[in-house]
Amino acid sequence: MQDLHHQMVPVIGICTEYNAEGHRAIYDHISSILENEPASADAQAPPALVFYATRNILRPSFILGQIPDLLDLLAMVDTFRRHAVEASSVALSWQEYYTKEPSSDPEMTLLTERELKKVQNYVTNNERDRLHYILAVKNLCLLHIYYLVTAPESCILAERMNDYFPGCFPGHDIPSKLLFQHGLSDSEKQIMEEAYQECKEWLLEVTQWEEEREQEQELLLVALTAEQADAAFQQAFRDKFSPPFAQEELVSDLDDYLDTVERMIRKLEDHFPSAKVLERRKRAV
């Protein structure tokens, strides 16, 4: 895995002009991990690669068509965060033990007061950060449904509705393929259920508008080419229905979440470096 990671770095072309082939290689590689061994995907994909692929969907411009990929990447990021919180909790337990029993290992180095406060905050903010993630997921689902109504791939709208809100079609209980659906708490399921009800009501409104618009077009006897009709529909749709969220605000919110998790991982690696990190530092000297 490390060898593949190092091979991909020059292909990515970080800090150079956009390299479409390199970026596609990243998504294909991560997708192969998710498809072949989804249960252990978080353990196999290097965090740096996941963070990079996630940000590449958001910037320089938000690629709405890749929101399903983004959701899976964010699920991996949140898994990194949860593992970091668990590691922080264990570290706090050892900190407490060695503070009370210093004679058990006189050479043990304890966290400084500043470091201790940081690690404590990771555990204290766990629920807040998880909610931040879940609300971002909900908003992405709603935004993608809005996008699909007029997108070239609008034919997959029903499939995505099922992925985001499993069981929304009675008699067609098809499991979702997306990672974020695994391990949702009851309160998180309730958030997604409320999002579904909001989405369903909105889609009914859109359907009614489409039917009325078709009748109006027939009465006007407007003769348009397929391309003209499609362009007119998209413009009329945007005039009638605003996006559920401003893209800039959602991207900024996701940037905050990614930065929070990335800083947490880096700080914990500084405080508790693995054998690989120590070896790398030794070679760098």
Side-chain angles (χ1 to χ4, degrees):
M1 181 66 221
Q2 283 292 84
D3 290 341
L4 179 57
H5 183 206
H6 289 310
Q7 290 170 17
M8 293 182 108
V9 169
V11 175
I12 291 171
I14 297 177
C15 297
T16 63
E17 63 182 78
Y18 187 84
N19 181 339
E21 184 178 348
H23 292 279
R24 188 70 260 166
I26 294 172
Y27 294 122
D28 289 346
H29 174 61
I30 293 178
S31 295
S32 70
I33 293 176
L34 298 178
E35 291 171 3
N36 297 328
E37 299 184 65
S40 59
D42 57 284
Q44 293 193 41
L49 197 60
V50 174
F51 280 113
Y52 177 79
T54 304
R55 290 191 172 103
N56 189 57
I57 294 176
L58 298 174
R59 299 189 184 283
S61 59
F62 193 177
I63 309 174
L64 299 179
Q66 284 192 252
I67 284 179
D69 293 329
L70 178 60
L71 287 166
D72 273 344
L73 290 165
L74 286 172
M76 298 172 77
V77 170
D78 196 64
T79 298
F80 299 150
R81 184 195 62 78
R82 287 184 286 113
H83 286 176
V85 170
E86 291 172 4
S88 298
S89 183
V90 171
L92 292 175
S93 296
W94 284 113
Q95 175 85 3
E96 181 180 8
Y97 172 77
Y98 284 113
T99 299
K100 294 179 178 178
E101 303 288 341
S103 59
S104 60
D105 189 349
E107 296 183 1
M108 176 59 63
T109 302
L110 298 179
L111 294 170
T112 66
E113 185 175 343
R114 183 178 179 181
E115 293 170 342
L116 180 60
K117 187 175 181 179
K118 279 280 187 185
V119 175
Q120 288 172 334
N121 284 339
Y122 298 152
V123 177
T124 302
N125 295 332
N126 180 37
E127 290 187 10
R128 182 204 67 184
D129 293 338
R130 174 67 178 182
L131 180 60
H132 190 172
Y133 161 71
I134 291 297
L135 293 178
V137 165
K138 180 204 74 170
N139 292 343
L140 285 169
C141 292
L142 294 177
L143 182 60
H144 194 229
I145 295 300
Y146 174 87
Y147 159 80
L148 283 175
V149 172
T150 59
E153 65 270 32
S154 59
C155 59
I156 66 170
L157 178 58
E159 178 184 349
R160 288 309 179 198
M161 282 286 292
N162 181 80
D163 281 337
Y164 301 151
F165 314 111
C168 64
F169 299 111
H172 299 277
D173 191 10
I174 304 173
S176 172
K177 300 186 291 289
L178 298 177
L179 295 178
F180 82 82
Q181 296 286 359
H182 303 292
L184 292 178
S185 67
D186 289 342
S187 62
E188 292 166 352
K189 289 177 181 177
Q190 182 60 34
I191 289 174
M192 296 306 297
E193 172 61 26
E194 292 171 0
Y196 166 63
Q197 294 301 328
E198 178 183 343
C199 187
K200 181 174 71 171
E201 292 175 9
W202 179 77
L203 284 173
L204 288 173
E205 185 180 348
V206 171
T207 301
Q208 182 179 353
W209 169 79
E210 284 186 280
E211 292 173 351
E212 293 173 354
R213 185 175 180 278
E214 285 179 4
Q215 292 174 1
E216 292 174 359
Q217 295 296 310
E218 290 176 1
L219 291 174
L220 292 173
L221 298 176
V222 178
L224 299 174
T225 65
E227 289 185 0
Q228 290 173 332
D230 187 53
F233 172 78
Q234 291 188 35
Q235 185 59 55
F237 174 82
R238 287 193 291 269
D239 291 342
K240 177 67 175 179
F241 301 102
S242 300
F245 311 97
Q247 290 185 35
E248 297 78 9
E249 292 180 9
L250 186 51
V251 169
S252 177
D253 187 54
L254 289 168
D255 281 339
D256 289 343
Y257 176 75
L258 292 170
D259 290 344
T260 295
V261 179
E262 194 168 35
R263 282 195 301 268
M264 182 189 306
I265 293 174
R266 286 178 176 174
K267 283 294 183 182
L268 289 175
E269 286 179 345
D270 287 342
H271 298 334
F272 315 107
S274 65
K276 287 184 178 179
V277 171
L278 290 174
E279 181 62 28
R280 188 166 64 245
R281 290 177 181 176
K282 189 182 298 183
R283 291 198 301 268
V285 175

